[in-house]
């Protein structure tokens, strides 16, 4: 599985943050990572230096093998919370999608 990490100009996307993001997302997905070809994580600070509540947006796109890409977005006050929230959402979405396949 490939992991791609992107940030905007307002978030310093260094190697440490990329490692943290990969750890948080892959931990949340658990065994589902075996069924994915790629995960893309995008972090954006919509207000820049102004700050504010829920101004960090985390979008996660997961590409399950043989299926259409699945995308979720979560907004929160800081990068860590946004990553964790989006990770929970993508896990729930993929559990649902793979569950639908299992019922066919």
């Amino acid at each position: 599985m490939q992991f791609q990490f992107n940030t905007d100009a307002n978030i310093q996307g260094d190697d440490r943050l990329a490692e943290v993001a990969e750890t948080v997302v892959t931990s949340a997905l658990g065994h589902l990572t075996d069924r994915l070809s790629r995960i893309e994580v995008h972090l954006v600070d919509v207000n820049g230096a102004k700050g504010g509540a829920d101004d960090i947006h985390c979008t996660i796109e997961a590409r399950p093998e043989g299926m259409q890409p699945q995308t979720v977005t979560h907004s929160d006050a800081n990068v860590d919370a946004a990553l964790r929230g989006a990770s929970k959402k993508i896990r729930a979405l993929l559990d649902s999608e793979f569950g639908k396949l299992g019922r066919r």
Side-chain angles (χ1 to χ4, degrees):
M1 177 191 74
Q2 287 182 325
F3 186 86
Q4 187 173 347
F5 180 70
N6 303 293
T7 61
D8 70 353
N10 297 314
I11 297 175
Q12 186 172 357
D14 57 11
D15 289 339
R16 186 197 66 74
L17 184 56
E19 288 176 23
V20 168
E22 185 171 4
T23 301
V24 167
V25 174
T26 55
S27 294
L29 291 173
H31 69 281
L32 296 177
T33 58
D34 296 341
R35 301 176 75 175
L36 304 175
S37 59
R38 184 168 75 189
I39 294 178
E40 292 185 35
V41 175
H42 302 270
L43 285 171
V44 178
D45 184 347
V46 293
N47 291 338
K50 293 185 224 174
D54 296 346
D55 69 332
I56 306 293
H57 295 289
C58 180
T59 301
I60 299 178
E61 179 181 294
R63 295 182 180 237
E65 294 176 0
M67 296 173 60
Q68 292 294 315
Q70 304 292 315
T71 305
V72 298
T73 301
H74 182 78
S75 300
D76 222 311
N78 61 56
V79 170
D80 189 53
L83 275 170
R84 292 187 191 287
S87 297
K88 288 177 185 175
K89 286 183 179 181
I90 196 71
R91 169 67 187 248
L93 177 62
L94 291 174
D95 277 341
S96 174
E97 290 300 312
F98 290 141
K100 290 176 187 175
L101 288 176
R103 289 192 293 266
R104 290 184 182 173

